[in-house]
Amino acid sequence: MNIRVFYFFLALGLCVGFTYGQNTTFTALDSVYITDLKLKQYSTGRAVLQLSDGITRLNRPLLTNTLNFNSPIYFKENGLGMVSSPSFRGTTASQTAVIWNGININSQFNGQLDFNTVNSGAYDEIAVRGGGGSVVYGTGAIGGSVHLNTQLEFIKQQEHNLFLQYGSFNTRDARYQFKLGTEVYSLSIALAHNSSDNDYDYPDGGTNLNGDFQNTALNVGLGFKLSRQHSLRFFSEVFDGERHFSLIRASETRTKYDDLNTKNLLEWEYDFSNFTSIARLAYLEEYYKYFGNLDSDNFSFGKAKTTIAKYDLTYAFSEALSINSVLTNTYTSGEGSSLGNNYRNIFSAAVLIKHQLKNELDYELGFRKEITNNYESPFLFSVAASKAFSKHFSLNLSGSRNFRIPTYNDLYWSGAGNAELLPEKSLQGQLGASLTIANFNLNLTGYYNSVTDMIRWLPGSDGVWRPRNEDEVRIYGAEAIANWSQKINAHSLNIYGTYAYTISENAQTGNQLIYVPYHKATAGLDYDFKRFNTGIQAMYVGEVFTRSDNNSRYNLDAYAVANFSLGYSLGKEKNYELGARVNNVFNAEYQSVVNRWMPGRNFSLYLNLKL
C-alpha cells in the first residue's frame, strides 16, 4: 500500500510538471529573495519567530547564545562554547531540524547539530518555527526547526558592515558582511571568526581548563536574473572549527575536536504561464577528527558526503489557490573509524496545497512519502488552518505526522549498529491565537505531541550498548511570544519576550525527561535616544531532572541570567558605533549540565562600522 501511495504522488508531481495552462501571466521576481520560501508560504497555523540583525549582534556569535536568550528553545551546554544540544518543546536534540537555505543540515552521524558549531554572524536571517515540519523539511522536524538563510537583494547597492568585539578570556569576535547588487545581479558575502581562551573561573575556585576554541565561517550568495523568466542562484558555506573539550577535573586527559563542514546549493528558477519551476542541486560534506589525547597524533574520524537533487514545481490556479509538488533524491555516502563504508539513497515525493478563502480563512494540506532500502518510512501528512476574526485577532490550528530517520551511528556503528531500526514517529496537534493591538503583538500556542519508537542506546545481555526502538513519550505544553514597540520623537523602545511551559514524560513511567525544564522565559528591552542605545536581555530556566527516575536529589537548580549593553553612534549618518557589554550582570552561578559551570560576570567592547 505504501508503494502505491508513493507512486501516486510521483505521478501527480510529473503530471503537474508537464501540464501547461492557457494563461500567460508573468510572475515578477521579488527584489529581495530568500531561497527558503516555504518558511513563509507553508507556515499557516504556526508561529514563526524572526530574529533581527540587532538582536543577533547583542549576543555572543555562536548560535546557542543567540537562541538561548531570544527563543523558547532550551539548551544544555557543556560549558561556554562546548557541545550544545537543544530541547525544543520537550524533544531530544536530534528532533530539532536545522535548515540552511531550505536544506536540512542535521548531521548524518548523530542526527543533530551542535549549535556551538554555527556562527550566527554568517547569516542574514535566523528564524525559529515551532511544531512539526517533516512534510516540508524531512527528518528531525518534530519539536520544531531553526532556519539559517542568506538573503539576496536585487537592488542597486554596495554596502560594507564590519563588527569587531574583544572581551574577557581573550575572546575575539569579528564579522564582516559585503553586499553588492543591481536589478540584475546580487552578491552577498559574510565572513565571521570567533575565538577564546575560555579560561574563566568556577564558583568553587577552579578554572575552566582546556576550554579554548576557534572557528571561522564563510557564507556566499550569488544570484542572476537572466531574463524575465529565468534566474540562477548559488549559495556556499565553509565552517572550519577547532575546539578543545573542557575538563571536569585537572587530572583528566586533554582532548580536541576538529570539524570542517561545507555546503553548496545551486538553483535554477523558471517562471512560465502560471507555473514556477525551481530545480536545486546541493552538495554537503561533514568531516570531523577527534583526538582522544592532545599529546598523541592518533585520532578517530567520520566523513559524510551528501548529494541532494530536488525539483519543486508550483501551479497557481489563482492568487488564492496553489499546488506545489516536490520530488527529492538524497544520496549519502559515509565512512568513519567505527562505521566502515556505507551509503544510503532516499527518494521522496511531497504535495503541498495552499488556499486562501474570501472569509479570511486560510488552510493548507501537505503529504510526503519516502522510499529507501535502509528502513521502512512512514506516510507523513500535515493540515493547518488560520481564521482572522478581525484585524486584531486570529485563531490557528494545525496537525501533522512527523518522523526522524535512524542515523549512521544508529545503523552502522561497528559491533553495535541495528539495521532493523524503525524511524521515530510523531503525531501532534496545536491550537494558537494571535492578538495585535496597535504596537503590541502576542502569540499563544498550546500543543500535544505523541512520539513513538524512540531510539535509545541500551546495554544488551553481553554488556554492549545497542540502539533499539524503545520508548513512547507524551509531550504537551504552551508557548507565548510577545513584542511591543513605541517611537516618540527621538525615543525608540522595543520590549519582547518568550515563555515556554513543557511537560515531556515517558509514557511508561510518567517521569519527566531529563534536561527538560518545566519553565523557560526570556525577556529583552532595547532603547534608543538620539545617538545612544542600550539593551537588556534576561533568561530564566527552571530546575531540571538529571536522572531518569526523577530523583530530585540530583536536580540542577533554576537560574536567571541577565546581560546589559550600551552603545554610542558617531558620524553624520551614525555609521560608526562604539559600545560595551556586561554578560551575566548579576554574576549568577549556574550550569545547564552537571559539573559544567558557565562563566560569571564578564565584559566586552565592540566597534560596529557601516559603510
Side-chain angles (χ1 to χ4, degrees), residues 220-357:
V220 177
L222 179 62
F224 293 95
K225 289 184 178 181
L226 303 178
S227 68
R228 286 171 53 86
Q229 294 177 301
H230 295 272
S231 64
L232 284 177
R233 293 176 290 271
F234 176 72
F235 302 89
S236 183
E237 180 186 323
V238 178
F239 179 91
D240 185 13
E242 177 182 303
R243 177 173 52 178
H244 294 196
F245 286 149
S246 297
L247 308 180
I248 295 178
R249 292 174 294 275
S251 59
E252 293 178 330
T253 302
R254 296 173 183 259
T255 61
K256 184 179 74 168
Y257 185 90
D258 294 344
D259 58 318
L260 177 64
N261 301 321
T262 61
K263 310 175 188 72
N264 298 278
L265 171 63
L266 179 64
E267 294 184 346
W268 169 40
E269 180 173 343
Y270 174 40
D271 293 291
F272 57 99
S273 186
N274 289 345
F275 290 91
T276 299
S277 165
I278 304 178
R280 296 181 173 95
L281 181 63
Y283 178 75
L284 316 176
E285 186 171 310
E286 55 180 309
Y287 177 53
Y288 74 84
K289 293 192 294 185
Y290 173 70
F291 295 81
N293 188 335
L294 283 183
D295 297 326
S296 172
D297 293 331
N298 295 327
F299 61 86
S300 58
F301 78 97
K303 188 172 186 177
K305 302 177 181 179
T306 301
T307 303
I308 303 171
K310 188 173 184 179
Y311 183 63
D312 194 316
L313 186 68
T314 300
Y315 178 74
F317 293 93
S318 65
E319 291 185 359
L321 175 61
S322 64
I323 182 171
N324 185 191
S325 62
V326 185
L327 305 177
T328 308
N329 193 85
T330 303
Y331 177 84
T332 301
S333 63
E335 60 179 308
S337 302
S338 301
L339 296 171
N341 295 297
N342 294 280
Y343 74 93
R344 64 182 175 195
N345 193 78
I346 304 171
F347 192 86
S348 70
V351 173
L352 307 170
I353 302 170
K354 188 175 183 66
H355 193 191
Q356 299 173 317
L357 301 178

Side-chain angles (χ1 to χ4, degrees), residues 518-530:
Y518 290 112
H519 305 278
K520 185 196 172 184
T522 69
L525 181 150
D526 298 330
Y527 172 69
D528 294 350
F529 175 69
K530 295 184 178 179

